[in-house]
Amino acid sequence: MYVLSEASQFTPKGSEELELAHAGLGKRMLSIPDHLKHDEIVALLEEKYPKLKTLQGGWMFFKSTGGSGRRKLSIIPTDAEGYSTRLLKSASNNGKNIVFVVPLQEKLSTEPLSYDSVEFAKMPQSKCITCGSQMPLQLLPLHVEGCNGALTESESGTCLDEDCSVLEQPVPSTIGMDESLAVCPICLASYPADVLPFHASTCGDRMNCAQPSVAASPPRGEELPGPSVPQSSAASTWATEVDPQKACQLFREDLLNRYSESPRLSLSLDMFDAEEEQDSAFISFYKQNNVNWAAPFKCRLRGDAAVGDGVNRHVLSMAMQKLKTGFRINLGSAAPTTLFEGEKEHWVPSAAAVLRESNLFEMAGHMIGHSFLHGGSSFSGLSLPVVTLLTGESIDTAASALTLEDCPDIDHRETVGLLKNAELTAEEHTKVTDLCLSWGLPFPNSTNRVWLFQELLSHAVLHRVKQPIKQIRKGLKQTGIWPLLSDRPDVHPFFPRESSEELNPQTVIQSITWPQPNVDSDEDEDDTVPLEKISLVTGFLRKFIEEASPDVLRDLMKFWVGWELPTRKLHVEVVTSTYPVAHTCFFKLKLPSHYQTYKIFHQDLMMALSSGFGLV
């Protein structure tokens, strides 16, 4: 429960919490038995908040809209007999969300109460070491600030914003700037270069905390684009490169080179394990904190023939696929736990509270950023408004691009879509009204339907998943790729369209570098494959690709490079051998030169694909 001192349309500021608590108001945890009626709930509240007994003009319960920061309050309507435990449980999502008590007419006093007041009787007590006063622990920070007259928020290193955390202290300003120091691109404080990735990844989304003054830090206008202070030529190039894809490649190379000597990250998977055990290995690896995700990466995949970079790419591809298909983990359901829901090109984070509370979306940010850094596949098909909000734009900007297809809940989509009808039937009007009531929005009328359509759609898609989006953003920051996303709004290689990743024969053929005869080769003439055989076998391959079904194309790509997505550079070599093999780490397919008929070629290649990854 959170008792406000006066009528308000918005949740209180974080800075008001201690003031209200000192006045015997503010936030407390209450245990409300089942089956309580209105009068019993009022009596329980007045026991916990004695000032409510003197309030004239009445009060009502309110709830807030989703998201962070100051949020709009909407009234919780009473039943015919007033409030009940059942109604409060429903409005608060079984007690998970705060319920606000808002005076309707009169204002409650915010004068501080004495520390021995009945309101503080059950609170844990603590003593001020300056004056020796005993007081509730909750009120000690406010007292300390006034008691010594010097200790401030920035000096104490604390931040009253619940979304902001300070994990370590920066390098004192007396240390000169040299190659061993780096500047956080978010707060501009100086840290040792090996510590900076971890600090920058946890630096808050909003600069609400007072930042320490560092003499060596550059002014805001000279903020460095990369995660460390030495601005190499590569770093300046990715920031100015016209081609977005090339800019991504330059940024990746610069970051990986910078941390090439860092301790290696290792992930081990056993292809013979049950899916639940493989998923557990993924989750344990990617939920790690304080990890340098730009460090060298090595994956061990037992039960698979691929090695080296081919294994890494295959495992990273598996991780990206898991974000859509789900993880088999025990969260109260036998079905896979999916972090994203929706349809093709319109995937949005799930609004399930258990996923948010488990920090699984932060893990998703680690997976997306890590896959990008180490050449894995991207997370494709994310809703464009979600991408807009995720990469730092305002919710209003993101909402302007919403469509009904972005709404993953089919019932909500159908109800919101009713507002596009010329006229609403009585039943349709009731459905829209019920949804408006549950989300604290005005009822539909002849003048507000266009506006209400956009508001309902924005709430259904964006407002309900602001916290998951924030967690994903935090995970991305911890991988070190945030400078690229924030400085280059035209670059979103992590969230391509699914249509751009669809396999088709033409895409595969255009990506192939076909073998060329080398008349200057120093190889033994007996080992040289004649040009006629090269032309014949590569012609068989082209025909195989042109006639392949989508499933066969995916198997071919998986055999060839280690994953099922298009790859820009594919290499073919015709050699003296018995069966087709692939060097997945070099994107190279080696085809035997002995084939005389397409039928035998087709049979052998299909047999190779059915065996999984082929590598020598």
Side-chain angles (χ1 to χ4, degrees):
M1 296 289 179
Y2 200 127
V3 176
L4 304 186
S5 61
E6 59 183 330
S8 175
Q9 294 183 340
F10 299 94
T11 58
K13 300 177 182 177
S15 58
E16 297 174 357
E17 187 164 336
L18 283 179
E19 179 186 358
L20 291 172
H22 204 167
L25 306 174
K27 182 165 58 178
R28 297 190 189 183
M29 185 75 71
L30 271 68
S31 178
I32 301 180
D34 286 336
H35 312 304
L36 285 193
K37 297 181 179 180
H38 183 86
D39 291 342
E40 295 170 314
I41 293 175
V42 171
L44 179 61
L45 273 175
E46 290 180 346
E47 178 186 351
K48 299 293 183 180
Y49 296 95
K51 283 189 177 182
L52 290 177
K53 296 179 181 179
T54 63
L55 182 66
Q56 301 294 319
W59 54 264
M60 290 190 73
F61 287 118
F62 282 67
K63 63 181 179 180
S64 65
T65 56
S68 59
R70 297 198 73 190
R71 303 176 300 283
K72 188 165 183 173
L73 291 173
S74 59
I75 196 169
I76 301 176
T78 65
D79 289 335
E81 298 180 357
Y83 290 113
S84 64
T85 304
R86 178 192 58 80
L87 181 61
L88 293 181
K89 286 178 68 174
S90 174
S92 65
N93 192 15
N94 287 324
K96 294 179 181 178
N97 300 328
I98 296 176
V99 173
F100 295 85
V101 178
V102 181
L104 298 179
Q105 302 179 59
E106 191 179 40
K107 180 178 179 181
L108 290 170
S109 171
T110 55
E111 286 295 318
L113 300 176
S114 61
Y115 296 140
D116 58 356
S117 297
V118 65
E119 285 87 345
F120 307 141
K122 296 183 179 180
M123 291 185 178
Q125 303 290 306
S126 186
K127 180 183 291 186
C128 173
I129 60 175
T130 302
C131 66
S133 300
Q134 192 81 8
M135 66 196 69
L137 179 61
Q138 184 181 4
L139 305 181
L140 184 60
L142 192 64
H143 168 83
V144 168
E145 184 175 345
C147 186
N148 58 26
L151 189 61
T152 64
E153 180 182 325
S154 60
E155 289 171 337
S156 63
T158 61
C159 178
L160 297 181
D161 190 333
E162 63 183 5
D163 295 327
C164 183
S165 59
V166 180
L167 298 185
E168 67 275 328
Q169 293 300 320
V171 176
S173 58
T174 54
I175 300 178
M177 180 66 70
D178 57 34
E179 292 184 354
S180 64
L181 297 185
V183 173
C184 172
I186 302 171
C187 66
L188 300 181
S190 296
Y191 294 85
D194 57 343
V195 172
L196 180 67
F198 313 129
H199 161 78
S201 67
T202 54
C203 204
D205 292 353
R206 299 167 294 166
M207 296 305 296
N208 289 337
C209 286
Q211 295 297 341
S213 175
V214 181
S217 299
R220 189 68 177 177
E222 300 173 15
E223 182 174 331
L224 301 178
S228 64
V229 84
Q231 189 164 351
S232 64
S233 59
S236 60
T237 303
W238 69 255
T240 56
E241 172 59 47
V242 176
D243 183 0
Q245 291 293 335
K246 190 173 181 181
C248 292
Q249 183 64 26
L250 291 170
F251 178 88
R252 179 191 295 117
E253 292 173 354
D254 181 49
L255 194 60
L256 294 180
N257 288 337
R258 190 175 305 165
Y259 297 107
S260 60
E261 301 300 323
S262 298
R264 176 187 292 174
L265 293 177
S266 296
L267 171 62
S268 296
L269 288 178
D270 192 331
M271 298 302 289
F272 298 111
D273 282 344
E275 188 175 357
E276 291 84 351
E277 294 174 325
Q278 294 180 20
D279 290 354
S280 178
F282 273 123
I283 292 171
S284 298
F285 180 75
Y286 281 109
K287 283 197 74 174
Q288 296 180 94
N289 293 317
N290 297 329
V291 170
N292 183 0
W293 297 103
F297 175 56
K298 172 74 172 181
C299 186
R300 297 175 179 86
L301 193 60
R302 180 174 176 265
D304 200 296
V307 297
D309 290 342
V311 174
N312 291 352
R313 289 193 301 272
H314 174 49
V315 170
L316 293 171
S317 177
M318 289 173 60
M320 289 297 96
Q321 193 65 25
K322 287 288 182 182
L323 289 179
K324 291 181 183 177
T325 60
F327 296 89
R328 290 194 174 274
I329 52 179
N330 184 18
L331 287 179
S333 173
T337 300
T338 55
L339 302 187
F340 294 83
E341 53 190 7
E343 60 186 59
K344 183 178 178 181
E345 307 288 24
H346 299 281
W347 296 98
V348 300
S350 170
V354 66
L355 302 180
R356 187 172 65 249
E357 293 164 0
S358 301
N359 287 329
L360 289 177
F361 292 105
E362 186 176 328
M363 177 198 74
H366 293 163
M367 296 172 76
I368 295 169
H370 187 242
S371 182
F372 163 75
L373 285 175
H374 295 278
S377 58
S378 303
F379 184 75
S380 58
L382 192 63
S383 166
L384 286 177
V386 173
V387 173
T388 300
L389 187 60
L390 178 61
T391 51
E393 297 292 339
S394 68
I395 197 167
D396 291 337
T397 302
S400 64
L402 283 170
T403 65
L404 279 173
E405 289 75 15
D406 291 311
C407 182
D409 189 301
I410 300 301
D411 291 336
H412 289 163
R413 183 191 300 185
E414 291 177 352
T415 301
V416 175
L418 293 174
L419 289 170
K420 286 186 168 293
N421 297 343
E423 296 290 339
L424 294 178
T425 65
E427 181 181 357
E428 292 172 342
H429 191 277
T430 299
K431 289 181 66 175
V432 175
T433 299
D434 289 345
L435 188 60
C436 292
L437 182 62
S438 65
W439 289 346
L441 291 170
F443 300 159
N445 57 49
S446 59
T447 61
N448 71 351
R449 289 176 58 176
V450 174
W451 172 86
L452 189 58
F453 171 84
Q454 200 64 37
E455 287 297 308
L456 286 171
L457 190 57
S458 178
H459 188 93
V461 180
L462 300 178
H463 287 280
R464 296 173 68 239
V465 296
K466 284 177 68 176
Q467 286 303 316
I469 289 175
K470 186 173 182 179
Q471 285 190 16
I472 297 172
R473 186 189 301 130
K474 181 179 179 181
L476 289 172
K477 287 185 177 182
Q478 290 171 346
T479 64
I481 65 175
W482 188 250
L484 177 66
L485 280 174
S486 59
D487 289 2
R488 291 293 302 264
D490 60 323
V491 172
H492 299 309
F494 327 98
F495 312 113
R497 299 297 86 205
E498 285 177 303
S499 57
S500 68
E501 295 193 335
E502 289 182 348
L503 279 175
N504 60 74
Q506 194 63 30
T507 301
V508 175
I509 290 174
Q510 289 177 351
S511 302
I512 295 176
T513 301
W514 299 97
Q516 300 293 328
N518 189 357
V519 296
D520 298 325
S521 175
D522 295 329
E523 295 182 4
D524 192 315
E525 190 171 325
D526 293 337
D527 296 331
T528 303
V529 178
L531 178 60
E532 294 79 9
K533 289 189 175 182
I534 294 177
S535 300
L536 180 64
V537 173
T538 54
F540 289 160
L541 177 63
R542 181 185 291 270
K543 181 179 180 181
F544 181 92
I545 295 172
E546 291 174 342
E547 296 178 351
S549 67
D551 288 340
V552 172
L553 270 183
R554 283 192 291 269
D555 289 341
L556 176 62
M557 293 304 299
K558 188 176 180 180
F559 176 82
W560 197 332
V561 301
W563 51 23
E564 302 173 358
L565 301 176
T567 303
R568 286 189 173 187
K569 296 180 180 179
L570 299 172
H571 302 282
V572 176
E573 188 175 343
V574 180
V575 297
T576 303
S577 64
T578 305
Y579 296 106
V581 293
H583 291 279
T584 57
C585 53
F586 299 109
F587 300 165
K588 181 179 289 186
L589 179 65
K590 289 191 173 184
L591 300 173
S593 61
H594 61 71
Y595 293 113
Q596 299 296 319
T597 65
Y598 176 70
K599 180 180 179 180
I600 302 300
F601 174 87
H602 185 276
Q603 288 177 351
D604 283 1
L605 187 52
M606 287 297 294
M607 183 173 65
L609 301 189
S610 66
S611 66
F613 288 84
L615 187 86
V616 293

